[in-house]
């Protein structure tokens, strides 16, 4: 190691004390770093990689990096190399597709450098010996929290540590939660990572706190915004629905651990995932109602966010679509509808949402229509405050011009998602457009305040047009369903036709009760009814929001940009005149801060990680002053969620610190521990020699030939863990070859269903019988789910199964048909990958070892060489599903054509000599089919 890392002129960009401390620690020893979100994890990784890159003679591999992280690391390494003027630095090479051929990869590895390789390619290269583990200087693992025992990353580390005991290994994570779940989770993770030391860096770490809370603190102004009465009512009603739903869940599923099923947990992001995970093993046994409530919880928690984030018109539109999606099909009974729609709270949600957009006209006299409506268009309270903040910043810049420093005068507004950025952009563009009205004279006297009236009127016009079309579609669907029911074979369904909704000819009444007469607002079955405005109401509302002269003068939004009249739309701005609206985007936000160098940051929605990024940014630059406006709705779910996230992270780190203090040393000397040679010999001896068997004993570990596509699953890793040698090959027949006679096709349940649908399984079974004596079909279940076919049985009692002419589409009946077609096909049922590994071990006893070359040649042309096989999988698989192309003629096409595009552009007479006339017409017809006129 010391020779490799001779001192090089390396300049690091780690200004803060804790970052330098961590860097020194990482250079000195192998460890797992768990750091709080927002404290600059990627910067630390890129500096560490640069220090190895500058040495020039290292082979360092980055495992688990996502595409955007690869882009970040690549850019940072190039920049660091230029700053350090390191002549031997080569930057990052990304190996993430099968397009880099085997020979090219071998040359690349021989040269050395920094590589980011996808786990699937890396594990195959390590096992085939293309990349010799002993030549690797070290591995850097990102997202270490995802490295579980069955993951590909754990498999890579095991192979690496078996052959290479000296190379370094450093793992990083900025998510402490997974390290606190389960029994002694930290030591389990450390064992998976083959590491002994954990380094924990929460925000409350003394070094971090002193670095971020020094003299250079950012100026922060907290602004608590009061929600409107209507918003508070809707939020309370949604919370009531969530509470009732959780109570119903607990009542219906008593045998589960439900301490965490409460309203506080429901605010967390992954609550529905947590509930679903607990119910998964018995998912096929839980009642229909429970399944409905679990999906409702996701919808309701989405609404909690929407009521704060969306404007009132978009929220009402969102509610309409949710209501339409949850409305029962004609003929269904009351039980088949979402339970929360029966609550009074649901009525409150829909009614209040509607009142925020329009209301009954209170000035209606006796002669005027009782149904007249007027627009209300309630604005979000944060909008007005945002306008005030921008005015304050303008005044501040005018009256107290700041000292010149390294900041641009830019204003950066950060919010939670793209939809909110669009909404804020619309608001900022149109908030100063004045709309003339009756009290125009009063407005002239008063100073004009920022207003969203222009934007909201435009949105209401769009909503009313959308609602009109929505009603037409809804009625058309209703009529179709009605016809389908009348033609149904089961008389019970036809009788129940009118239970769900009123007949199409009758006008459905109002949902909101109070705003338009005293309509009941509920369907016959008790749920909240959907309200469709009457034509004259829509006309009146439209009159109210007619396009005024000022609105007509506004520039239209650019939808398709032809780049004509560019001067009208584009001009260069000074940085100090810019207002940048951006969505939170994880680590990328650091780039935004560094590039924009804002003087003012408005946090439209709270985000704990971004606050830390600002702290790090401000502490890293002496000469950049920042003022932060931190906005949140007081007493809202938004505030609760933010506080819960901070508290949860703090608790996770506290648990980790306690566990680390009491943790025994994790032994990671060898990937398998030290095995006694005598034990290794005895393991291969089979003592059961009844029935004239022979005693076989070899000290050579058993071998399994595995198809390279199978490395997406965890089974190869588990087989390797049982001391089997894994030989990855490109197999045409089967997935696993255990012996010259035994060939196994592995199917997960989802894969099994799709294989039956497209008939692939039948062909696979046929080819297995052509080349092997004992073909087997392995049906493997998920270890966290129930070991039964019941959940996949088609017992849903829908219209199709009522119709006696339909062929049963049940999975079990298809398996029976398969066994009738292939009586000698053995079926292996396995409850999990762990059990499969055990079954394979038992099947291999007394069997000869498979020959990889013979396994690869099975299914290829007899005179073709195994090496000539095409290794680019994706295009090969794409071509394989084109009508007319079979496993026999695909070889001719791949040899002739460069890529799929060339095949698509071939004419019939070019294809005919390769695959025959009939197949050529099919292929040509497929690629030249008109997608619009499918009936022609």
């Amino acid at each position: 190691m010391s020779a490799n890392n001779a001192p090089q002129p390396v300049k690091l960009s780690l200004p803060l004390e804790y970052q330098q401390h961590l860097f020194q620690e990482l250079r000195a020893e192998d460890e797992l770093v768990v750091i709080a979100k927002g404290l600059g994890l990627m910067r630390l990784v890129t500096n560490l990689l640069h220090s190895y890159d500058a040495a020039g003679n290292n082979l360092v591999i980055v495992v688990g990096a996502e595409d955007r992280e690869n882009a970040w690391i690549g850019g940072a390494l190039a920049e660091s190399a230029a700053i350090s003027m390191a002549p031997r630095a080569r930057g990052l090479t990304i190996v993430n597709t099968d397009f880099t051929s085997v020979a090219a990869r071998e040359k690349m590895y021989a040269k050395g450098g920094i590589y980011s390789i996808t786990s699937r390619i890396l594990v195959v290269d390590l096992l085939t010996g293309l990349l010799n583990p002993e030549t690797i200087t070290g591995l850097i693992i990102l997202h270490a929290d995802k490295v579980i025992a069955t993951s590909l990353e754990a498999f890579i580390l095991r192979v690496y540590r078996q052959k290479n005991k000296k190379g370094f290994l450093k793992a990083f994570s900025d998510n402490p939660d997974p390290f606190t779940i389960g029994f002694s989770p930290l030591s389990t993770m450390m064992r998976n990572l083959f590491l002994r030391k954990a380094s924990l860096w929460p925000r409350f770490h003394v070094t971090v706190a002193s670095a971020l809370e020094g003299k250079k603190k950012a100026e922060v102004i907290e602004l608590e915004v009061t929600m409107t009465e209507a918003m508070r009512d809707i939020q309370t009603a949604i919370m009531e629905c969530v509470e009732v739903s959780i109570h119903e869940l607990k009542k219906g599923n008593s045998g589960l651990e439900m301490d965490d099923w409460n309203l506080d947990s429901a605010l967390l992001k992954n609550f529905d995932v947590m509930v679903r995970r607990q119910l998964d093993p018995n998912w096929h046994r839980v009642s229909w109602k429970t399944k409905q409530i679990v999906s409702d919880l996701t919808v309701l928690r989405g609404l909690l966010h929407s009521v704060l984030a969306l404007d009132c018109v978009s929220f009402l539109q969102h509610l309409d679509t949710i209501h339409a999606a949850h409305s029962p099909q004609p003929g269904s009974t009351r039980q088949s509808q979402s339970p929360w729609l029966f609550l009074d709270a649901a009525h409150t949600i829909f009614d209040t949402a509607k009142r925020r957009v329009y209301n009954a006209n209170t000035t209606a006299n006796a002669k005027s229509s009782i149904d007249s409506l007027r627009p209300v268009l309630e604005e979000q309270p944060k909008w007005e405050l945002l306008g005030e903040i921008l005015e304050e910043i303008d005044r501040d810049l005018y009256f107290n011009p700041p000292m010149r420093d390294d900041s641009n005068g830019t204003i950066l507004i950060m919010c939670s998602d793209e939809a909110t950025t669009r909404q804020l952009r619309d608001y900022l563009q149109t908030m100063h457009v004045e709309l003339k009205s009756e009290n125009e004279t009063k407005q002239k006297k008063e100073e004009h305040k920022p207003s969203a009236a222009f934007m909201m009127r435009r949105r209401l016009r769009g909503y009313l047009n959308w609602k009109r079309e929505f009603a037409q579609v809804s009625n058309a669907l209703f009529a179709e369903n009605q016809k389908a029911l009348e033609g149904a074979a089961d008389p019970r369904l036809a009788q129940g036709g009118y239970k769900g909704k009123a007949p199409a000819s009758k006008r459905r009444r109002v949902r909101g009760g109070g705003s338009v007469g005293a309509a009941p607002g509920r369907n016959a079955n008790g749920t909240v009814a959907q309200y469709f405005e009457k034509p004259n109401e829509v006309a009146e509302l439209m009159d109210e929001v007619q396009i005024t002269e000022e609105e007509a003068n506004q520039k239209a939004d650019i939808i398709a940009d032809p780049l004509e009249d560019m001067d009208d739309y584009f001009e260069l701005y000074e940085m100090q005149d810019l207002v940048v609206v951006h969505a939170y985007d994880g680590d990328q936000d650091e780039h935004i801060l560094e590039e924009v160098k804002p003087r003012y940051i408005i946090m439209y929605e709270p985000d704990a990680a971004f606050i830390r990024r600002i702290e790090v940014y401000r502490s890293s630059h002496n000469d950049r002053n920042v003022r932060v406006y931190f906005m949140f709705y007081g007493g809202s779910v938004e505030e609760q969620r933010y506080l819960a996230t901070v508290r949860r992270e703090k608790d996770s780190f506290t648990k980790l610190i306690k566990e680390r203090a009491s943790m025994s040393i994790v032994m990671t000397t060898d990937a398998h521990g030290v095995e006694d040679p005598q034990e290794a010999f005895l393991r291969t001896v089979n003592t059961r020699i009844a029935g004239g068997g022979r005693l076989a004993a070899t000290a050579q570990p058993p071998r399994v030939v595995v198809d390279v596509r199978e490395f997406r699953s965890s089974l190869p890793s588990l087989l390797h863990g049982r001391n089997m040698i894994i030989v990855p090959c490109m197999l045409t027949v089967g997935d696993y070859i255990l012996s010259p006679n035994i060939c196994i096709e592995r199917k997960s349940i989802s894969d099994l269903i799709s294989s039956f649908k497209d008939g692939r399984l039948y062909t696979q079974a046929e080819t297995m019988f052509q080349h092997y004596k004992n073909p087997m079909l392995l049906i493997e279940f998920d270890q966290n789910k129930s070991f039964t076919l019941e959940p996949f049985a088609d017992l849903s009692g829908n219209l199709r199964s009522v119709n006696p002419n339909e062929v049963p589409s049940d999975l079990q009946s298809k398996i029976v048909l398969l066994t009738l077609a292939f009586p000698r096909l053995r079926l292996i049922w396995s409850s999990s990958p762990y059990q499969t590994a055990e079954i394979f071990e038992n099947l291999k006893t007394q069997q000869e070892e498979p020959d990889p070359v013979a396994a690869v040649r099975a299914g290829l042309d007899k005179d073709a060489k195994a090496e000539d096989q095409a290794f680019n999988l994706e295009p090969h698989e794409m071509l394989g599903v084109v009508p007319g192309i079979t496993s026999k003629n695909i070889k001719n096409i791949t040899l002739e054509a460069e890529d799929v595009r060339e095949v698509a552009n071939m004419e019939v007479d070019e294809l005919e000599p390769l695959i025959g006339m009939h197949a050529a017409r099919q292929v040509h017809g497929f690629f030249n089919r008109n997608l619009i006129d499918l009936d022609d």
Side-chain angles (χ1 to χ4, degrees):
M1 288 287 287
S2 55
N4 267 3
N5 303 323
Q8 290 289 329
V10 174
K11 290 182 183 171
L12 301 176
S13 55
L14 294 171
L16 301 179
E17 188 193 343
Y18 75 88
Q19 295 174 331
Q20 294 156 8
H21 188 93
L22 239 172
F23 178 81
Q24 300 297 344
E25 210 176 81
L26 280 162
R27 282 294 302 200
E29 57 188 323
D30 293 355
E31 63 180 14
L32 161 68
V33 175
V34 182
I35 191 169
K37 275 193 173 72
L39 294 183
L41 173 68
M42 286 308 291
R43 173 175 282 205
L44 183 70
V45 172
T46 49
N47 276 282
L48 182 67
L49 285 170
H50 172 55
S51 71
Y52 289 111
D53 190 24
N57 52 358
N58 292 319
L59 172 57
V60 179
I61 290 170
V62 182
V63 181
E66 294 164 359
D67 288 346
R68 50 198 279 172
E69 288 164 343
N70 282 332
W72 180 320
I73 295 169
L77 284 180
E79 196 177 308
S80 304
I83 293 168
S84 296
M85 290 186 286
R88 304 172 72 183
R90 298 177 226 177
L92 180 77
T93 310
I94 300 170
V95 182
N96 61 357
T97 58
D98 294 354
F99 289 119
T100 40
S101 67
V102 177
R105 289 211 296 274
E106 198 166 11
K107 278 182 195 161
M108 277 159 46
Y109 297 146
K111 280 192 293 188
I114 311 277
Y115 292 96
S116 175
I117 311 179
T118 55
S119 301
R120 222 179 97 219
I121 293 177
L122 180 57
V123 75
V124 172
D125 286 354
L126 285 171
L127 288 169
T128 51
L130 190 71
L131 170 57
N132 182 359
E134 290 169 16
T135 60
I136 300 174
T137 314
L139 294 188
I140 290 201
I141 314 289
L142 299 180
H143 304 292
D145 46 286
K146 294 181 182 169
V147 181
I148 53 169
T150 53
S151 66
L152 267 182
E153 288 76 16
F155 188 8
I156 289 165
L157 295 177
R158 198 184 317 126
V159 177
Y160 169 65
R161 269 291 174 244
Q162 257 181 349
K163 304 270 178 67
N164 185 339
K165 305 281 191 292
K166 292 178 188 164
F168 71 74
L169 183 52
K170 305 183 193 307
F172 298 89
S173 172
D174 62 355
N175 182 11
D177 285 357
F179 293 97
T180 58
I181 298 162
F183 177 69
S184 64
L186 182 61
S187 57
T188 311
M189 283 286 200
M190 303 280 283
R191 204 171 292 114
N192 292 341
L193 291 161
F194 295 99
L195 289 169
R196 286 186 174 202
K197 187 184 173 197
S199 183
L200 308 175
W201 294 81
R203 169 65 179 81
F204 55 82
H205 192 291
V206 181
T207 324
V208 177
S210 64
L212 299 184
E213 292 169 11
K215 295 172 188 170
K216 298 173 286 185
K217 285 178 76 171
E219 181 191 350
V220 181
I221 299 167
E222 260 193 37
L223 298 163
E224 184 174 334
V225 187
T226 316
M227 290 192 288
T228 63
E229 201 66 42
M231 285 167 74
R232 197 175 291 114
D233 289 350
I234 292 175
Q235 182 180 285
T236 313
I238 297 172
M239 294 291 272
E240 191 184 323
C241 291
V242 171
E243 204 164 3
V244 171
S245 298
I246 293 174
H247 179 69
E248 286 293 316
L249 267 186
K250 284 184 170 180
K251 205 163 71 177
N253 306 281
S254 50
L256 295 170
E257 184 190 338
M258 292 182 284
D259 300 344
D260 288 344
W261 292 16
N262 52 38
L263 208 51
D264 282 349
S265 306
L267 302 181
L268 296 171
K269 276 184 184 171
N270 56 354
F271 177 70
D272 32 6
V273 180
M274 187 173 79
V275 171
R276 181 65 207 260
R277 195 180 291 139
Q278 283 198 329
L279 290 171
D280 249 351
N282 300 315
W283 190 246
H284 62 291
R285 292 204 188 111
V286 299
S287 63
W288 190 93
K289 189 177 178 185
T290 299
K291 292 180 183 176
Q292 184 63 52
I293 292 173
V294 171
S295 72
D296 288 344
L297 275 173
T298 312
V299 170
L300 287 167
R301 289 169 66 249
L303 280 178
L304 279 173
H305 173 70
S306 302
V307 72
L308 301 177
L310 299 179
D311 60 84
C312 60
V313 177
S314 306
F315 181 68
L316 183 60
Q317 189 169 346
H318 181 53
L319 273 180
D320 282 341
T321 51
I322 285 176
H323 192 284
H326 286 73
S327 294
Q329 295 173 348
S332 72
T333 56
R334 175 175 172 143
Q335 282 77 27
S336 68
Q337 201 160 6
S338 297
W340 68 277
L341 284 172
F342 295 98
L343 300 174
D344 287 341
H347 189 277
T348 310
I349 296 169
F350 286 98
D351 187 34
T352 318
K354 196 162 86 264
R355 286 173 194 270
R356 288 174 72 200
V357 180
Y358 54 77
N359 213 334
N361 198 342
T362 47
T363 57
N365 53 32
K367 290 178 186 174
S368 75
S369 161
I370 196 167
D371 286 343
S372 65
L373 298 176
R374 63 182 176 80
V376 176
L377 300 177
E378 177 182 282
E379 295 183 16
Q380 299 289 87
K382 274 190 187 177
W383 292 345
E384 189 182 345
L385 187 64
L386 183 64
E388 285 173 18
I389 291 172
L390 292 173
E391 277 179 17
E392 181 190 311
I393 291 172
D394 277 350
R395 276 201 305 274
D396 200 38
L397 285 170
Y398 186 74
F399 291 115
N400 308 316
M403 303 277 290
R404 290 296 300 157
D405 62 7
D406 195 31
S407 289
N408 296 320
T410 316
I411 301 168
L412 176 65
I413 303 176
M414 298 297 290
C415 50
S416 60
D417 51 28
E418 291 295 331
T420 318
T421 56
R422 284 195 295 273
Q423 178 201 90
L424 290 183
R425 189 198 64 195
D426 274 7
Y427 172 67
L428 294 173
Q429 281 174 343
T430 59
M431 66 183 182
H432 292 301
V433 177
E434 293 187 43
L435 297 169
K436 293 178 183 174
S437 59
E438 296 158 10
N439 49 5
E440 195 178 339
T441 47
K442 284 182 196 170
Q443 275 192 350
K444 277 183 183 172
K445 288 174 193 170
E446 295 169 20
E447 190 186 335
H448 174 68
K449 283 187 174 179
S451 155
F454 173 88
M455 176 174 90
M456 296 308 294
R457 287 162 66 90
R458 189 166 62 190
R459 294 204 169 190
L460 181 58
R461 283 196 294 277
Y463 169 72
L464 291 171
N465 289 330
W466 172 83
K467 194 72 185 274
R468 192 183 295 140
E469 290 170 17
F470 183 74
Q472 288 167 0
V473 171
S474 179
N475 287 335
L477 281 174
F478 181 82
E480 276 181 35
N481 283 338
Q482 208 53 47
K483 281 179 193 166
L485 277 169
E486 282 159 12
D490 189 342
R492 291 169 301 169
L493 283 181
Q495 283 169 8
Y498 290 112
K499 280 183 190 170
K501 292 183 180 175
S505 57
K506 293 184 183 172
R507 164 73 54 198
R508 272 169 287 183
R509 291 299 301 183
V510 125
R511 176 170 66 223
S515 64
V516 188
R522 289 195 177 264
N523 276 323
N525 69 350
T527 56
V528 179
Q530 184 138 13
Y531 174 57
F532 288 103
E533 293 83 358
K534 294 173 186 167
N536 58 336
E537 293 172 0
V538 176
E540 281 183 18
L541 267 177
M542 274 298 208
D543 286 343
E544 289 273 357
V545 289
Q546 276 305 315
I547 297 179
T548 60
E549 190 182 333
E550 292 83 3
E551 289 176 286
N553 292 337
Q554 291 296 312
K555 283 184 183 177
D557 270 355
I558 304 172
I559 296 164
D561 189 356
L563 294 179
E564 293 165 9
D565 310 323
M566 278 182 66
D567 297 341
D568 290 356
Y569 287 104
F570 298 106
E571 58 184 292
L572 283 172
Y573 285 105
E574 288 290 322
M575 283 303 278
Q576 66 208 40
D577 297 335
L578 279 187
V579 177
V580 179
V581 186
H582 204 274
Y584 295 123
D585 198 11
D587 283 328
Q588 299 294 324
D589 293 341
E590 282 174 41
H591 278 336
I592 298 294
L593 288 171
E594 293 292 348
E595 284 167 18
V596 176
K597 298 187 208 168
R599 178 181 300 281
Y600 302 98
I601 300 173
I602 302 171
M603 291 180 68
Y604 188 75
E605 283 149 316
D607 180 66
F610 189 72
I611 292 173
R612 289 180 197 145
R613 289 184 217 287
I614 297 172
E615 288 182 320
V616 171
Y617 168 76
R618 178 71 189 91
S619 306
S620 303
H621 302 283
N622 291 330
D623 51 354
R624 293 185 193 171
N625 290 312
V626 180
R627 185 193 293 173
V628 184
Y629 293 91
F630 180 78
M631 298 164 75
F632 63 93
Y633 283 116
S636 70
V637 169
E638 181 178 76
E639 183 187 14
Q640 286 299 318
R641 194 174 280 158
Y642 166 69
L643 294 171
T645 311
V646 175
R647 190 171 58 243
R648 189 184 173 92
E649 188 188 78
K650 191 180 173 188
D651 292 348
S652 296
F653 270 115
T654 313
K655 275 186 195 170
L656 277 175
I657 291 164
K658 280 183 184 166
E659 191 190 337
R660 187 180 64 174
S662 60
M663 189 172 71
S664 55
I665 295 174
V666 182
M667 298 305 289
T668 58
T669 47
D670 191 356
H672 292 304
V674 180
E675 191 177 28
D676 181 18
Q678 198 175 351
E679 286 291 320
F681 173 73
L682 287 171
R683 188 168 39 75
T684 60
V685 177
N686 186 3
T687 53
R688 295 183 56 197
I689 51 172
R694 57 199 168 81
L695 178 64
T698 54
Q700 185 66 26
R703 195 167 58 207
V704 178
V705 179
V706 181
D707 185 23
V708 286
R709 284 159 290 204
E710 276 299 302
F711 283 90
R712 292 190 187 102
S713 74
S714 56
L715 184 54
S717 169
L718 295 171
L719 291 173
H720 185 266
R722 284 180 167 265
N723 290 310
M724 294 189 194
I725 294 176
I726 306 292
V727 185
C729 290
M730 182 74 180
L731 299 179
T732 315
V733 179
D735 291 331
Y736 295 85
I737 312 297
L738 301 189
S739 79
N741 295 330
I742 300 176
C743 165
I744 295 180
E745 180 70 37
R746 176 189 155 277
K747 296 282 179 201
S748 62
I749 293 294
S750 54
D751 198 14
L752 184 70
I753 292 168
S754 65
S755 309
F756 272 128
K757 270 186 186 162
D758 59 17
R760 197 170 72 235
L761 189 55
Y762 187 87
T763 357
Q764 286 170 336
E766 216 167 29
T767 50
M768 283 200 295
F769 273 108
Q770 283 169 13
H771 298 94
Y772 292 95
K773 200 171 168 185
N774 299 327
M776 301 181 187
L777 173 65
L778 163 72
I779 298 171
E780 189 178 85
F781 288 75
D782 188 340
Q783 69 198 61
N784 299 322
K785 297 192 178 172
S786 50
F787 184 30
T788 167
L789 279 178
E790 210 177 312
F792 309 100
D794 186 17
L795 308 170
S796 49
N798 54 17
L799 290 180
R800 195 174 289 170
S801 52
V802 164
N803 192 339
N805 304 328
E806 283 283 341
V807 181
S809 56
D810 190 11
L811 186 58
Q812 281 147 314
S813 53
K814 285 180 176 170
I815 294 173
V816 171
L817 290 171
L818 182 75
T819 49
L820 287 172
F822 302 100
R824 279 178 41 236
L825 180 69
R826 309 279 177 85
L827 293 189
I828 302 174
W829 299 88
S830 170
S831 60
S832 72
Y834 289 97
Q835 194 188 354
T836 308
E838 201 177 321
I839 292 169
F840 279 17
E841 200 171 34
N842 294 336
L843 283 171
K844 275 192 72 62
T845 50
Q846 294 287 297
Q847 295 289 338
E848 291 174 19
E849 295 303 332
D851 175 12
V853 178
V856 171
R857 292 199 58 140
L860 295 176
D861 293 342
K862 289 197 173 64
D863 50 348
K865 292 179 187 170
E867 303 86 74
D868 292 348
Q869 220 191 145
F871 268 81
N872 201 349
L873 304 182
E874 275 84 357
H876 218 255
E877 287 172 359
M878 277 171 65
L879 269 184
V881 294
V882 173
I885 289 184
T886 63
S887 54
K888 288 173 185 169
N889 63 25
I890 192 167
K891 193 71 187 291
N892 302 341
I893 281 198
T894 42
L895 289 173
E896 186 67 29
E898 187 77 20
D899 50 27
V900 177
R901 185 171 61 176
E902 195 177 322
V903 180
N905 291 328
M906 281 181 166
E907 293 300 323
V908 178
D909 48 354
E910 292 176 84
L911 286 164
E912 190 191 351
L914 300 173
I915 55 173
M917 191 60 180
H918 179 63
R921 281 183 181 154
Q922 278 185 298
V923 173
H924 184 264
F926 173 79
F927 282 117
N928 292 278
R929 184 175 175 196
N930 188 336
L931 293 177
I932 297 163
D933 307 322
L934 285 175
D935 301 335
D936 293 359

